[in-house]
Amino acid sequence: MDKALLNLKSTRGDIILETALDYIKDKSNKKVNLSFGAIMAEDGNYYSFKSVNEAEKIVIEQYKDKPYIFTNGTKEFSILTQELLFGKNSKYMKEKRICTIQTIGGDGSIFLAIKFLKSLNIKCIYVTNSYYVTHVTMIKACDLTPKYLNFYDSNLGDINYDLFLNDLKNIEDGSCIILQTFACNPCSMNIKEEYFEEIIDIFLKKKHIVVFDVAYLCFGNSSLEKDVLLIRKFEENGIAFIVSQTFSKCMAIYGSRAGALHIICENKSQRQSVANKLCSIAEASYGTPSVHVNRVICEILRNEKLKSSWIKDLCELSEHINNKRILFLEKLEFHQKKYNLNYEWNKYKKQRGIFVYIPLIGKIFEKLRFYHIYIIHSGRINVSGITKDNVDYIADIICLCLSEL
Ligand code: PLP
């Protein structure tokens, strides 16, 4: 072993984990960690949903066993998670064309999708230029090549639709693309509904394969229906596609590792072949998914009372976080005057999701640590960690540090 370990090549650690460790070591009562992607409550603890806690209580009371479940999860889990995305009247569901597998959170789902695409002899996968780092890490780890589509333009503070749509039109037919369409991590943009038809036209003509990464359900528009609209429009247009779904953020159950991968197939018999392939990839990677979280999610989605209370709280939470972003940007506007700064903060007000993405603030991430404010170098800030009590301190220190640039 000693000798074998000598061959270990050094790799960089996880930035978010390293930031969290530095934060834990910091003894200041002013400290605030805005670096990671979980939703914080006003009291500084993790936010949790009453409906999810209630479902968990029911599951614990009802089941004393924890058996293995099948590699793809359970039929009920598949149907309930499909219904959430595709709707009760889904044609694809009626035709039994959706192959679903329960996954180890959203990352597990993306990993399976990439491995599955690789098994189809696909060599490269596109992501947008403002990408979730793990997508690229996984594409490379699977020995595929990541390629980048124009998407976010930091000068515009928006998606550059001309460049994005042009790229979609000009890449090779049948290209694979991992796409977030709302509350995108990190750029925090929603793709505007007015571009949906054009996107659909391009996918119909070019026969691209999209993997929709649905990580922040409801945080895009504070509405489940609006957030899944593009997915449903793809279905209306008869396009086959893939969806990676996670319950980490929308149910605030990050460590429970609950997710699903849905692949639209030609017909029921192809669905069986896809299921066999996905199960063989899962078996070779980690085995079977968690029974406990399967039961909790089924309880919430099956129980109409819990489900509607969950969705109502989720939409309210999304609005609440959006109001925090606006408050934060207004405080930056206010505090910058003291330092004779004249930055344009309003353009960030159109962002959605749990982050506010301001690359300029990324430039001072090291200086901010000196004042016990922890963010990552990209300038992606977890806006849910900003509260009425700390917002003035954070905005003031950011302006102070910017004035020293
Ligand atoms: N996709 C995106 C865009 C994310 O931001 C995240 C988590 O931050 C994931 C997928 C992974 O989700 P999970 O934590 O469920 O693995």
Side-chain angles (χ1 to χ4, degrees), residues 40-66:
M40 307 312 287
E42 287 303 298
D43 62 6
N45 292 314
Y46 282 86
Y47 177 90
S48 68
F49 289 93
K50 278 200 200 92
S51 47
V52 176
N53 293 339
E54 182 61 29
E56 187 139 41
K57 234 163 66 198
I58 296 172
V59 167
I60 289 169
E61 270 163 25
Q62 191 174 341
Y63 298 98
K64 300 298 165 225
D65 59 350
K66 285 196 170 53

Side-chain angles (χ1 to χ4, degrees), residues 76-92:
E76 188 184 26
F77 180 91
S78 296
I79 291 173
L80 291 169
T81 56
Q82 287 171 12
E83 260 177 21
L84 198 62
L85 295 175
F86 299 90
K88 281 211 156 76
N89 299 319
S90 160
K91 199 162 112 309
Y92 286 161

Side-chain angles (χ1 to χ4, degrees), residues 30-272:
K30 286 199 165 78
K31 70 176 180 176
V32 53
N33 187 0
L34 307 175
S35 67
F36 59 102
I39 298 148
M40 307 312 287
E42 287 303 298
D43 62 6
N45 292 314
Y46 282 86
Y47 177 90
S48 68
F49 289 93
K50 278 200 200 92
S51 47
V52 176
N53 293 339
E54 182 61 29
E56 187 139 41
K57 234 163 66 198
I58 296 172
V59 167
I60 289 169
E61 270 163 25
Q62 191 174 341
Y63 298 98
K64 300 298 165 225
D65 59 350
K66 285 196 170 53
Y68 285 122
I69 49 175
F70 293 126
T71 315
N72 54 348
T74 57
K75 190 172 171 191
E76 188 184 26
F77 180 91
S78 296
I79 291 173
L80 291 169
T81 56
Q82 287 171 12
E83 260 177 21
L84 198 62
L85 295 175
F86 299 90
K88 281 211 156 76
N89 299 319
S90 160
K91 199 162 112 309
Y92 286 161
M93 281 187 72
K94 283 189 192 125
E95 292 168 355
K96 303 200 183 314
R97 286 178 57 186
I98 311 176
C99 177
T100 295
I101 178 166
Q102 183 184 335
T103 59
I104 313 296
D107 284 343
S109 174
I110 291 285
F111 181 74
L112 279 188
I114 295 171
K115 285 266 196 184
F116 177 73
L117 291 169
K118 184 173 176 171
S119 79
L120 305 181
N121 225 1
I122 274 147
K123 303 279 186 241
C124 84
I125 298 183
Y126 283 88
V127 293
T128 59
N129 63 2
S130 157
Y131 54 85
Y132 170 53
V133 175
T134 310
H135 287 159
V136 171
T137 310
M138 286 184 175
I139 293 168
K140 288 183 181 165
C142 291
D143 283 329
L144 296 181
T145 307
K147 290 193 179 172
Y148 303 88
L149 295 172
N150 276 296
F151 191 70
Y152 184 72
D153 180 333
S154 51
N155 292 325
L156 290 178
D158 205 338
I159 296 168
N160 188 325
Y161 289 97
D162 287 342
L163 293 182
F164 171 52
L165 296 173
N166 230 15
D167 276 1
L168 284 181
K169 280 180 205 153
N170 290 320
I171 58 177
E172 205 182 319
D173 288 8
S175 294
C176 286
I177 302 155
I178 302 181
L179 191 63
Q180 304 176 62
T181 62
F182 56 87
C184 300
N185 175 12
C187 72
S188 301
M189 301 307 301
N190 290 348
I191 297 182
K192 286 196 191 122
E193 205 183 315
E194 65 200 74
Y195 293 97
F196 286 4
E197 291 309 321
E198 196 169 344
I199 291 172
I200 288 165
D201 272 355
I202 298 171
F203 273 83
L204 280 168
K205 283 199 190 97
K206 300 281 297 182
K207 308 218 175 310
H208 295 324
I209 302 167
V210 67
V211 181
F212 289 116
D213 183 354
V214 179
Y216 297 91
L217 187 64
C218 267
F219 290 104
N221 295 283
S222 303
S223 151
L224 190 146
E225 304 292 319
K226 283 193 182 160
D227 279 3
V228 297
L229 189 62
L230 187 57
I231 291 178
R232 294 194 183 170
K233 281 188 177 286
F234 264 57
E235 173 173 350
E236 274 168 33
N237 282 276
I239 304 173
F241 55 92
I242 299 175
V243 189
S244 162
Q245 179 182 27
T246 174
F247 295 94
S248 297
K249 327 281 174 169
C250 65
M251 288 192 182
I253 50 171
Y254 318 94
S256 296
R257 312 307 297 129
L261 179 68
H262 310 276
I263 298 185
I264 312 299
C265 308
E266 275 288 301
N267 49 42
K268 202 174 159 192
S269 97
Q270 191 183 65
R271 185 176 75 163
Q272 189 56 53

